Amino acid sequence: MDPVFSEQAFFVSTFALYILAAIFYVYYFTSGKNSAGKRATYIAAAGLFTHTAAIVLRTVEAQRAPLSNQYEFASVFAFGIVLCYIILEQRYRARYQVFGAFVMPFAIIVMAYAATLPRDIRPLMPALQSWWLKFHVGTAIFAYGSFAIACGLAFMYLYRARREESGQLGFVAGKFPSLAVIDDFIYKTVAFGFLFQTLVIVTGAVWAEQAWGRYWGWDPKETWSLITWFIYAIYLHARFTRGWGGKKAAWFAILGFACVLFTYIGVNVLLPGLHSYR
Amino acid sequence: MNRQEEKGISQQIWDFLSSMRVGIGLLLALTVMSLYAATFLEHGEAMERVYTSWWFMGTLAVTAASLLVCSINRFPGIMKRVHVLKTDASPGWLDSLENRAEIAAAKRPEVLAEALKKKGFRTGISFDDGKYLISADKGRFGYLGSLVTHISLVLILAAGFYGVVAGDEGGAAGFAGRLIELPQYGFDVRIDDFTIAYRDDRSVEQYYSTLTVIENGIEVKQETIFVNRPLRHRGVNFYQSTYGWGVDVVFTNTVTGEGEEMLLTDGQRGFYHPLGIYVNVLRFFPDFTMTQGGMPTTRSVYPANPGVVFQFQDHHGQVIGEQFYIEPIGREIDLVDGFTMEFAGYRNYTGLQIIKQPGKPLALFASILLIVGLFLCFYIYPRRIWVRQGEDGVALVAGTSYRNKVGFGLEFEQITEKLKTVGGGQ
Ligand code: HEM
């Protein structure tokens, strides 16, 4: 079969599976039935599997790592979100599966965005032919994936905090884990993402040094990834500071993800620079 | 007099710099400044007006100072926590910890301590009123995480400042055969060759320059560089940066058979004495064509249909004849009195960036340290467990962790299960 066609087919199946998984996570969330939770995980894992197939096929077709244009990155970005989430879920033995209902939608939105982008495979310009670039983008998958999860959890945190203040938890927030638990998970996912974001910046700098002779040049994309990093650094410190923790910290986790999206989409669309290869 | 005034000014500055709030404020300030520059200014303008400005540099310097000060302040406490097992756990304090469980007290506390040791804990047993207290901790190197992280950031900033002060940046271009003299670095570099590899679709795959380093007249090494693979010698790096075209112009006096050759690049002109004229190469087009509006242009970067746009000038620089002519490669043009001119061939020259970045090894070392520091921060989490013998044959297990509350909760459950089985009760 034609690999391009198969890649498409796998991409579409993945999209469908993620949507189905999200539906089951929401069903699990509202019904609390363990069987629904199990199914949600299986479906998400199946989606991850077809997604892997799509990515592998594209690698074969393009004869290079599929990490060099907006479409390819959107696809692996969604992959990263689901992968990071499944890892998190497995590590805590599915105790906190309610998070799934708030995380899967991010993967779906990113997949939907990917579906709108041109998919033609074009050869790499010389500056992009580098091993460091593969590490650079490869680490970004994990950074962005876990930042997306942190953002979903931060919304949960803020919602539950508001309900608690009003004195009535209500149906939805009542099913959330306690604020302390959500906070702990935001922290874990931000920490993981922060470690990887640091790797993204460092590998990017090593690559830039090889390609252009400077490891830091303040171009808009570089600077925006630094801004993202600053925001999450503020988040990490805010948790230790009286009057800055809790809700304020959660806002920083959301703001951080907004910066991620701007670095990834906004900079390419709005701000020209060395990095805007498309 | 209040306490503020009692403190000396240097103490106040020190306290200011060591405050976490100030740290957050500095991060916020840096965020706002770089956000403004990266989003609302052109790159060149941003470099000039923000990134190299005294206030931006100053904020970075204050941040470095703050990082250093808070590292120094926290150093003794952190070292103590790493070195010394905490054995002064009062019953009241243990009761206040989040993770607690009761187990049957073991006859011999050594058995419990051994079980904790097997799980990677450092343990100690003390007695108080004839009752034992087992103290245990694990992941103590995690306390070093933020310290290592902050110090590495100071080093990265130092490397950056050092690079700005002691770095050097230049460039050189030339055709194969050119010797680039670099007396400031104590060696020269000769361009041996330059080629462009094209793909089937005529896009550029890669640019290759072969360079030879010459020290005191001796060839030291030869390397072929390309984009992403610079030549590095004595701390000076040579990057494949740009390229351009040159055309070989040949004038011939067909009467005497005498000829003259010159190599001209875009915008360069050459003087031919016998006729007293300049030939001025306006532009070389590798894949020549005309636009709808009648302007010369190139279809691709591949030399499929090379053409030269040029003009003639007299010795004052006045244009002779048409504003410009267009000629392909390899066609003889008759001038006057048996003189001819031909664009005999074309070649590429290479453009190199020559950069010295003395801060680089430090920056690289500090970056690795930064990753190590973050790993310590996030993945080596310090946790402490105590087992205190109580009344009536029970013992209280209590634990606390510095980070990772949920993870520690799970681990604590497992550990108490283990302690229950090994302790064996009475
Ligand atoms: C770009 C700048 C900075 C980065 C990336 C950074 C990074 C970090 C990280 C990763 C942690 C550990 C957090 C955790 O364990 O969750 C930390 C802790 C800390 N940071 Fe920073 N930091 C920065 C700047 C500063 C500054 C300017 C100060 C100034 C006072 C500061 C003060 C502290 C303190 C006091 C802690 C202690 C937290 C603890 O008890 O472990 N940091 N920092």
Side-chain angles (χ1 to χ4, degrees):
Chain A
M1 222 186 337
D2 173 19
V4 175
F5 173 74
S6 327
E7 186 221 327
Q8 285 253 31
F10 277 114
F11 181 87
V12 173
S13 333
T14 306
F15 201 174
L17 286 167
Y18 287 170
I19 291 173
L20 199 61
I23 292 170
F24 270 88
Y25 275 116
V26 171
Y27 178 54
Y28 167 77
F29 177 77
T30 50
S31 71
K33 283 187 188 144
N34 278 338
S35 60
K38 268 208 184 93
R39 261 180 219 138
T41 305
Y42 286 138
I43 297 167
L48 218 44
F49 182 78
T50 53
H51 206 159
T52 311
I55 292 168
V56 168
L57 278 170
R58 191 170 178 91
T59 309
V60 172
E61 173 70 5
Q63 303 194 323
R64 57 167 170 73
L67 303 171
S68 40
N69 62 28
Q70 282 291 93
Y71 164 72
E72 290 171 356
F73 193 72
S75 173
V76 292
F77 185 177
F79 181 83
I81 296 173
V82 181
L83 180 65
C84 289
Y85 173 70
I86 294 284
I87 291 173
L88 190 76
E89 199 180 287
Q90 293 309 305
R91 272 198 62 172
Y92 294 92
R93 290 177 223 116
R95 278 185 193 216
Y96 299 105
Q97 272 193 310
V98 291
F99 293 151
F102 295 83
V103 170
M104 285 310 284
F106 283 89
I108 293 168
I109 291 168
V110 177
M111 284 297 270
Y113 173 65
T116 66
L117 295 168
R119 312 177 170 208
D120 46 331
I121 293 172
R122 270 191 252 142
L124 290 185
M125 54 181 291
L128 296 183
Q129 299 165 19
S130 161
W131 270 102
W132 286 105
L133 177 65
K134 297 187 179 83
F135 291 128
H136 181 59
V137 183
T139 43
I141 297 170
F142 291 99
Y144 288 14
S146 61
F147 285 153
I149 297 174
C151 178
L153 301 181
F155 278 123
M156 289 175 77
Y157 184 95
L158 290 173
Y159 183 69
R160 178 161 178 143
R162 241 180 65 189
R163 302 301 305 190
E164 280 188 8
E165 278 161 21
S166 78
Q168 261 190 337
L169 271 187
F171 177 74
V172 174
K175 295 204 176 273
F176 290 178
S178 71
L179 285 182
V181 168
I182 305 177
D183 176 69
D184 196 64
F185 275 91
I186 299 173
Y187 172 65
K188 275 185 217 317
T189 43
V190 168
F192 182 81
F194 192 75
L195 179 61
F196 275 86
Q197 173 79 357
T198 310
L199 281 167
V200 172
I201 294 174
V202 171
T203 51
V206 173
W207 167 45
E209 195 274 338
Q210 284 189 348
W212 302 306
R214 86 289 185 295
Y215 50 84
W216 192 259
W218 296 108
D219 91 58
K221 195 135 186 159
E222 272 172 7
T223 310
W224 264 97
S225 72
L226 187 69
I227 292 167
T228 306
W229 192 74
F230 282 153
I231 296 285
Y232 284 110
I234 293 172
Y235 165 86
L236 289 172
H237 291 85
R239 285 181 82 253
F240 286 103
T241 312
R242 204 173 310 141
W244 276 77
K247 284 203 290 186
K248 269 197 195 133
W251 275 114
F252 273 103
I254 293 170
L255 201 59
F257 191 64
C259 289
V260 165
L261 292 182
F262 191 81
T263 312
Y264 165 51
I265 302 171
V267 172
N268 288 31
V269 175
L270 303 174
L271 314 172
L274 277 175
H275 261 90
S276 315
Y277 307 112
R278 277 195 288 159
Chain B
M1 234 202 261
N2 66 27
R3 270 185 63 81
Q4 277 298 314
E5 282 166 278
E6 277 170 37
K7 288 183 188 170
I9 180 82
S10 56
Q11 184 62 40
Q12 281 184 28
I13 293 176
W14 185 271
D15 288 352
F16 178 80
L17 289 175
S18 66
S19 138
M20 173 102 94
R21 271 164 203 280
V22 170
I24 293 180
L26 286 166
L27 285 174
L28 268 174
L30 288 172
T31 306
V32 170
M33 290 173 196
S34 33
L35 193 144
Y36 163 71
T39 317
F40 300 107
L41 299 180
E42 289 279 328
H43 184 242
E45 213 185 351
M47 284 304 281
E48 208 172 294
R49 288 193 15 212
V50 179
Y51 304 127
T52 51
S53 69
W54 64 267
W55 44 273
F56 188 77
M57 291 287 201
T59 312
L60 284 177
V62 175
T63 307
S66 165
L67 285 164
L68 207 56
V69 165
C70 81
S71 298
I72 294 170
N73 259 4
R74 293 167 58 232
F75 187 75
I78 288 175
M79 280 317 183
K80 187 172 164 223
R81 272 185 284 176
V82 171
H83 280 301
V84 186
L85 181 67
K86 185 173 163 63
T87 54
D88 54 343
S90 71
W93 184 67
L94 289 182
D95 278 333
S96 74
L97 295 183
E98 200 173 320
N99 297 284
R100 273 170 295 137
E102 280 201 344
I103 63 171
K107 278 220 181 67
R108 292 179 49 236
E110 290 79 12
V111 186
L112 299 179
E114 192 55 35
L116 285 167
K117 224 176 243 164
K118 275 212 185 98
K119 294 230 174 236
F121 281 80
R122 171 173 68 163
T123 58
I125 302 173
S126 50
F127 290 91
D128 177 19
D129 265 352
K131 300 256 159 58
Y132 62 75
L133 172 71
I134 304 169
S135 312
D137 71 6
K138 184 175 172 180
R140 57 200 157 111
F141 292 108
Y143 291 121
L144 292 172
S146 55
L147 194 70
V148 173
T149 304
H150 291 150
I151 293 295
S152 66
L153 290 170
V154 175
L155 293 178
I156 286 173
L157 287 171
F161 279 113
Y162 180 52
V164 169
V165 175
D168 191 11
E169 203 173 324
F175 292 96
R178 177 178 167 198
L179 186 71
I180 304 166
E181 289 175 27
L182 301 164
Q184 71 271 39
Y185 301 135
F187 62 89
D188 299 330
V189 166
R190 190 181 63 221
I191 301 168
D192 295 329
D193 193 22
F194 175 65
T195 53
I196 302 177
Y198 296 94
R199 298 194 184 88
D200 293 341
D201 68 356
R202 299 187 168 173
S203 63
V204 173
E205 185 173 5
Q206 192 50 276
Y207 310 93
Y208 299 98
S209 297
T210 305
L211 308 177
T212 295
V213 177
I214 299 168
E215 263 175 24
N216 304 320
I218 300 162
E219 297 186 2
V220 187
K221 66 176 167 189
Q222 186 189 49
E223 268 178 37
T224 298
I225 67 164
F226 45 89
V227 179
N228 276 313
R229 164 75 99 70
L231 164 76
R232 305 183 190 277
H233 187 68
R234 292 186 186 277
V236 187
N237 304 308
F238 297 79
Y239 299 88
Q240 181 64 53
S241 167
T242 61
Y243 75 102
W245 297 92
V247 279
D248 294 305
V249 188
V250 179
F251 286 95
T252 314
N253 179 345
T254 51
V255 180
T256 62
E258 279 173 293
E260 191 175 330
E261 263 191 66
M262 46 185 88
L263 175 58
L264 299 176
T265 57
D266 286 0
Q268 227 181 4
R269 62 183 189 172
F271 192 64
Y272 183 52
H273 278 280
L275 284 177
I277 58 163
Y278 285 103
V279 54
N280 185 13
V281 172
L282 295 170
R283 182 93 189 264
F284 175 85
F285 292 99
D287 195 1
F288 177 80
T289 187
M290 291 296 243
T291 61
Q292 296 277 331
M295 291 302 290
T297 183
T298 188
R299 266 183 298 247
S300 71
V301 291
Y302 182 80
N305 180 32
V308 186
V309 176
F310 68 101
Q311 58 184 198
F312 291 113
Q313 296 171 351
D314 65 18
H315 64 281
H316 297 298
Q318 291 294 325
V319 175
I320 308 173
E322 303 284 334
Q323 266 305 312
F324 65 83
Y325 300 95
I326 303 165
E327 270 294 312
I329 297 293
R331 193 164 70 186
E332 220 171 58
I333 309 161
D334 287 319
L335 302 174
V336 287
D337 305 332
F339 285 93
T340 64
M341 188 191 86
E342 184 189 341
F343 294 110
Y346 54 88
R347 301 182 224 176
N348 282 119
Y349 64 85
T350 182
L352 307 174
Q353 263 182 297
I354 303 171
I355 295 174
K356 196 176 158 191
Q357 268 179 348
K360 206 173 58 191
L362 179 59
L364 195 62
F365 168 76
S367 302
I368 294 168
L369 202 63
L370 173 62
I371 305 287
V372 171
L374 290 175
F375 188 82
L376 287 174
C377 269
F378 300 140
Y379 293 99
I380 309 292
Y381 73 96
R383 59 217 110 154
R384 292 167 163 167
I385 288 181
W386 291 271
V387 186
R388 179 172 204 102
Q389 189 179 13
E391 308 296 334
D392 308 328
V394 293
L396 174 73
V397 186
T400 176
S401 75
Y402 182 53
R403 299 181 199 95
N404 196 10
K405 296 222 158 29
V406 174
F408 182 66
L410 294 177
E411 187 181 350
F412 187 79
E413 277 173 29
Q414 282 180 353
I415 287 175
T416 27
E417 282 311 308
K418 183 84 194 165
L419 292 180
K420 275 182 192 161
T421 55
V422 299
Q426 298 300 325

